[in-house]
Every structure is written in structure tokens, then in C-alpha cells.
Amino acid sequence: MSFPATLIDLAGFIALLLWGTHMVQTGVQRTFGPRLRSILGHALGDRFRAFVAGLGVTTLLQSSTATGLMVTGFAVGGLVDLVPALAVMLGANVGTTLIVQLLSFDISAVSPALILIGVLMFRRDSSTQTHDLGRVLIGLGLMLLALNQLLDLLRDFEDAPSLRLLLGAISTLPVLDVLLAAGLTWAAHSSVAVVLLVMSLAANGVVPPNAAFALVLGANLGTAINPLIEGPAGDGPAAKRVPLGNLLTRLIGIGIVLVAMQPIGRFMVTFQPDDARAVADFHTLFNIVTAVVFLPLLGPLARLLRRLLPDAPAAADPSRPLYLDPAAKEIPIIALGGAAREALRLADFLEAMLVGARDALAEGDRRLIAETRRRDDVLDRLNIAIKSYLTSIDPDELGPNDHRRLNEILAFAMNLEQAGDVVDRHLLPHASKGLKRGLDFPKERQAEMSELMNRLIANLRTAASLLMTEDPRAARLLADEKVAFREAESRATLQHFERLRGSRLPVAQASALYLDLLRDMKLINSHIVAAAAYPVLERSGELLASRVASGE
């Protein structure tokens, strides 16, 4: 067989090994993932129970990275202390060695049976759990098949002079072995696959035992690097404490073993003459000894990690009320003043949404659309907080004017929140639809939309000032704005029907979308007017006349 063909075979068998490992991991996660997460969460009371839980969960998942992500989420959320979280990772490191122990025995004969049973289970549609367990069996079968093929391939080339020369040069530099295996593990995202590959090399005498042990150390290092580099970046330094602690324990253990590699290597070869089994046993013993050494030292390690990665300053939650003082409810006039100030924050956030929507329509920016839609959550939470605060005020303490003012603030908050919902659920989805379909508006249409969005922003500012001044003149001006939006919609409707006559489909679609956007703007304006203008006009006796003038 030619050298290029051999390389292709080698790469193919390694890929098959990686895919089999991936199928086992994903199958177990889909079958038992939520229950394993629950078990892990309940076992984090102390370091010893956490160690056992990490070992058990990772033995099933066959992914210390998945276990690490779970426990990091618990730690970042404040649900578990750092010491038990680090203990879970020590257990997880031991758990990943157990499948290597199983596969170190010659059980390749069962590979076809596992794949056959797995396929039969996988093709069953009646049970999702049976489907996922079939995936696990297929993965195990593929792993055994790939290992057997690797052994056969390497056996044919174990005496090749070039391979012997290359691996002989590497074998004399344990640090290089560690770095090489760490890079492979990081790229493959699987220490199990790399250790199994090293076992294949050792079983055929391609690498001597000490070099194989150094490669195993590199696999342990590589699997600790992955969560640190690729873990969640949005939770601040605290999200890096668990993976960094796991990496530090690995680095210290690897450093000690490298210094004492010669006596350790002689002991392992004497203890287990079979080179492949010796590699599996070394992998397990390294992680067990590391866990035994570091379990009592997790307290100092956790303190060091907190110093290296202190908590980031808490970001201000924009949805947290600033002016709703519980003590002020004893004095209604002060409580209502605080609620009115909080309602003005609603106007600020709605204005930010309208500005974002205007810019997104003008620029066709999907990212800006997504950012703007997230602001609606702030509006919803602030509105709930204002309503809860106002309805908790003792009504017996309120005079007639206080009752009127309370209802005005409630109406203002409710209408602004509903205007935000229209932006989130109608206006921005319509804008997204236009981007997905590649619909372009003529320049005059774009200019008209920008002008109407600017009028909405101006009307919102008028409504915010009306909440404080209650000036009937400003209320009349704001109510008259409904006429402008109704006229814009009427013009667009007539033009839309004209475009339908003989127009190409994209033009008609763009015209229909423009009409939808105008209706959304009209509805937003209606909520803005109802938020502040109508309560003032109602009190001055002008509400009916205003509604007749605006065509309601």
C-alpha cells in the first residue's frame, strides 16, 4: 500500500474513532442529560459527594467538558460553592478513564453485534429513549471497529524505518510528547480518543512505554485546556475559575510525573507487562492520585482562584426599579411621585427601542433588530414592578386626586408597555421579513418611514412631559398626531392597490410590507397618545371632541 493511501486510511480510522466517541457522548446526553444534571446539582453539598457525583456523571457522559459546563453554570449562578465544583472536576477526570479501561481489553469481536443492535434500536420511532440508546451502541461499536482497524494498520508499519526514526526522536523528549498530545486532544475535543490512539501505538511497539505515558499526560492537559479557551465568556471571571482550577491541578500533576517519569515508568511496566493495558492503567492512576492529593487542598486552591479571578463589578440591571421606595407607600403623594419617575424610565427605554427600530429599518441591520427586541424585556419587567407597587398602596390612604393620579400612571405604564410589544412582535418582525426576502423600498418610502419614526419619538417625548405637566394644550397637539398617521396609512393603502395592477411580485410584496409597517407605527402612536393625552383631555372635558376629530 502506498504512503498517501496509508495516511488516508489512518486519518479515516481516527475520524471514525472520534465520530464513535461523539455518538456515545451525544446519545447519553440526550437520554440522561436532564436527570444527570439534577443528580449533579443535588450532590454538591460537600467535596466528597461532589467527587463521586462527578465520577458517576462523567462515566455515563464520557465527557468531562460536558460535566464541567454543568458545574460551571451552577458555580456562576451561585448555586454551589467553588470547592465542591472543583471536586466534581476531579471526579470527572477519573470518570473519563473508565471507558478507556473497558476498551483496553480485546472486545473488538462484539463490534458488529453492537452496531447491529444499535441500528435496530435507532430506527425505532416509538421511543425517543430507545432511539438515543441505539445511538450509544452504534458509537461503541464504531469505536471498537476503529481501534481494531488502527491496530491492524499500525501493525503493518511498526517496523517502517521512517516511522521508527520519527517516533524515536519524539520519544526522547517527554515535554514534546506532552505538547503534541495536548494539541491533538484540543483539536479532537476528546481525550478518550487520543488515549485510545496512544494505546494502539504502544500495543504495536511503535512508541516505547515512557513516551506513551508522556502522550497520555498531554491528553490530560489538552482536555483541561478546552473548557478554559472555549467556555462561556459572558459570565465574567467567575466562569473561568472551575476550568482554571482543573487546569492547575493537571499542570502540577503532570510536572511532578515528568520529573519522576523514569521510576514511574519502570513501576508501570513491572506492574502491567501488556503495553496497551499499562497505558490505560497509567491514565487511571494518574487521575486517581491527582484527585487524592488535591481533594484536601481544594480550600486553599479555591481562595487562590478567587484572588486570581475576582468577581466582576455587578452590572446595573436596567429592569431594576430605581424610585419605587417601599417605605414611601406610607405617604401616597411621595409614592406616586416615585412611580411617576419610574414610568418616565419606561419612556426612555421605549424611545431607545424606537431609535433602534428606525436605524434598523434604514440600515437593514439584523444584529440591531435583535438588540432592539431584547429591550422589550426591560419594559415588561418595569411595567410589572410599577403596577405591583401602585396596587400595593392602601386605597384607604388615597384621596380623590391621588386615585386619579394613580390611574394615570397605571395607564401610562400599561400603554407604553403595549407600544413596546408592538415594536417587538410586529414592527421588527416585519422588518426582518423584508430583509430575508431581499425587499427594497424606494428612497421616498424610506424617507417617509424615517420621518414617521422620528414623529413617533417626538410624540413619545411629548407624552413623557405630559405625564408631569398635565397641560391640556400639549395633550391636544399629541392627540392630533393620530390624524397624521391615519392619513399616511390611507395614502399608502391607495398606492398599494395601484401597484398591484401589473406590478412585478417583488414590488407588490414590498408595497404590502410597507403598508404593514405603517399600520404598526399607527398602532404604536395610538398607545402613546392613549398613555398621556387622553387622561388629560378627559379631565378637561375635551376627550370626546378629540376622538371625533381623529376619526375614532
Side-chain angles (χ1 to χ4, degrees):
M1 186 182 296
S2 65
F3 185 68
T6 302
L7 284 180
I8 292 173
D9 287 347
L10 180 63
F13 294 142
I14 292 174
L16 185 62
L17 177 63
L18 289 173
W19 184 249
T21 305
H22 171 74
M23 290 191 72
V24 173
Q25 292 172 356
T26 54
V28 172
Q29 288 177 30
R30 292 175 184 179
T31 307
F32 304 111
R35 275 175 282 178
L36 292 177
R37 182 180 177 89
S38 177
I39 291 170
L40 189 61
H42 285 93
L44 295 177
D46 61 74
R47 68 184 71 184
F48 298 106
R49 281 196 302 160
F51 172 82
V52 174
L55 190 155
V57 169
T58 309
T59 299
L60 290 174
L61 289 178
Q62 280 311 303
S63 173
S64 59
T65 300
T67 305
L69 288 174
M70 281 192 247
V71 77
T72 298
F74 291 145
V76 170
L79 302 176
V80 61
D81 187 56
L82 185 55
V83 170
L86 292 170
V88 168
M89 293 311 301
L90 291 176
N93 296 336
V94 176
T96 56
T97 71
L98 299 184
I99 194 171
V100 175
Q101 285 288 343
L102 173 65
L103 297 177
S104 65
F105 297 99
D106 185 10
I107 54 174
S108 58
V110 302
S111 171
L114 288 174
I115 295 174
L116 175 61
I117 296 171
V119 168
L120 293 175
M121 296 174 66
F122 187 82
R123 291 177 64 85
R124 286 191 60 184
D125 297 329
S126 57
S127 171
T128 302
Q129 187 171 9
T130 303
H131 178 92
D132 292 331
L133 286 176
R135 184 184 185 89
V136 173
L137 293 180
I138 294 172
L140 284 172
L142 292 178
M143 290 173 70
L144 291 173
L145 180 63
L147 280 174
N148 187 56
Q149 295 298 320
L150 276 173
L151 286 171
D152 291 342
L153 182 67
L154 293 172
R155 193 175 294 118
D156 294 336
F157 286 87
E158 62 181 331
D159 294 323
S162 56
L163 184 60
R164 288 284 184 183
L165 182 63
L166 174 62
L167 293 175
I170 294 175
S171 300
T172 60
L173 300 170
V175 175
L176 182 58
D177 293 334
V178 171
L179 295 177
L180 175 63
L184 286 174
T185 305
W186 173 79
H189 284 64
S190 174
S191 62
V192 172
V194 173
V195 173
L196 291 174
L197 177 62
V198 173
M199 285 171 51
S200 300
L201 296 172
N204 289 282
V206 178
V207 293
N210 282 8
F213 299 152
L215 290 168
V216 169
L217 294 177
N220 280 275
L221 177 61
T223 196
I225 292 173
N226 271 328
L228 192 63
I229 295 177
E230 302 175 11
D235 295 314
K240 299 294 184 183
R241 287 176 186 159
V242 174
L244 179 59
N246 184 46
L247 178 62
L248 289 177
T249 59
R250 295 288 185 97
L251 282 173
I252 294 171
I254 289 169
I256 294 172
V257 173
L258 282 177
V259 171
M261 178 60 78
Q262 292 302 324
I264 291 174
R266 286 194 297 270
F267 167 77
M268 290 302 304
V269 172
T270 304
F271 174 74
Q272 177 55 263
D274 185 324
D275 287 347
R277 294 280 308 127
V279 169
D281 291 344
F282 174 81
H283 183 40
T284 301
L285 287 173
F286 169 75
N287 283 286
I288 290 175
V289 172
T290 302
V292 170
V293 170
F294 279 99
L295 267 176
L297 303 176
L298 291 182
L301 177 60
R303 289 192 291 273
L304 173 64
L305 291 169
R306 289 191 182 97
R307 290 185 62 183
L308 293 174
L309 297 170
D311 290 322
D317 181 4
S319 65
R320 185 179 66 85
L322 300 180
Y323 306 111
L324 304 182
D325 183 3
K329 288 190 287 187
E330 302 297 327
I331 309 174
I333 188 64
I334 297 177
L336 293 174
R341 292 183 69 189
E342 203 66 58
L344 290 178
R345 294 185 66 218
L346 277 174
D348 292 338
F349 283 111
L350 179 57
E351 181 175 336
M353 289 185 72
L354 293 175
V355 170
R358 179 196 63 192
D359 295 344
L361 286 169
E363 300 168 13
D365 189 338
R366 288 188 176 88
R367 181 186 56 81
L368 188 56
I369 290 175
E371 290 178 1
T372 303
R373 294 190 70 175
R374 284 195 289 270
R375 292 195 179 102
D376 185 57
D377 294 334
V378 178
L379 280 181
D380 292 340
R381 289 193 287 268
L382 274 179
N383 177 51
I384 290 172
I386 292 170
K387 288 195 293 187
S388 299
Y389 182 79
L390 289 175
T391 54
S392 67
I393 298 175
D394 186 357
D396 294 335
E397 299 293 328
L398 299 174
N401 288 332
D402 295 332
H403 275 291
R404 175 189 56 78
R405 184 59 173 163
L406 184 148
N407 290 329
E408 287 176 354
I409 297 171
L410 281 175
F412 184 87
M414 179 187 68
N415 277 286
L416 291 198
E417 190 268 337
Q418 290 175 345
D421 286 342
V422 176
V423 176
D424 177 44
R425 299 175 186 175
H426 300 283
L427 182 69
L428 292 175
H430 282 144
S432 296
K433 183 191 299 183
L435 289 176
K436 289 178 182 177
R437 295 180 179 177
L439 301 178
D440 293 324
F441 297 112
K443 289 185 178 180
E444 62 272 16
R445 289 281 174 265
Q446 294 180 356
E448 186 172 3
M449 282 194 296
S450 293
E451 180 187 351
L452 289 174
M453 290 300 296
N454 287 332
R455 290 188 78 159
L456 282 178
I457 294 169
N459 291 347
L460 178 61
R461 292 171 180 171
T462 302
S465 67
L466 261 176
L467 179 67
M468 307 308 294
T469 63
E470 300 179 312
D471 186 338
R473 293 168 299 177
R476 285 193 293 272
L477 290 174
L478 181 58
D480 291 342
E481 283 294 305
K482 295 190 72 172
V483 178
F485 280 87
R486 190 182 70 249
E487 290 175 351
E489 182 194 17
S490 299
R491 286 197 306 271
T493 302
L494 291 175
Q495 292 167 355
H496 171 63
F497 289 131
E498 291 174 3
R499 285 188 175 88
L500 288 179
R501 300 188 187 98
S503 296
R504 292 179 292 109
L505 181 61
V507 175
Q509 288 180 333
S511 178
L513 181 62
Y514 176 72
L515 188 58
D516 288 335
L517 290 170
L518 283 186
R519 287 169 178 163
D520 295 335
M521 294 179 198
K522 176 186 172 186
L523 183 55
I524 293 167
N525 188 69
S526 297
H527 285 301
I528 291 174
V529 172
Y534 287 168
V536 175
L537 293 175
E538 183 178 15
R539 193 168 64 254
S540 63
E542 301 179 40
L543 178 59
L544 180 60
S546 174
R547 286 186 163 173
V548 170
S550 63
E552 291 188 36

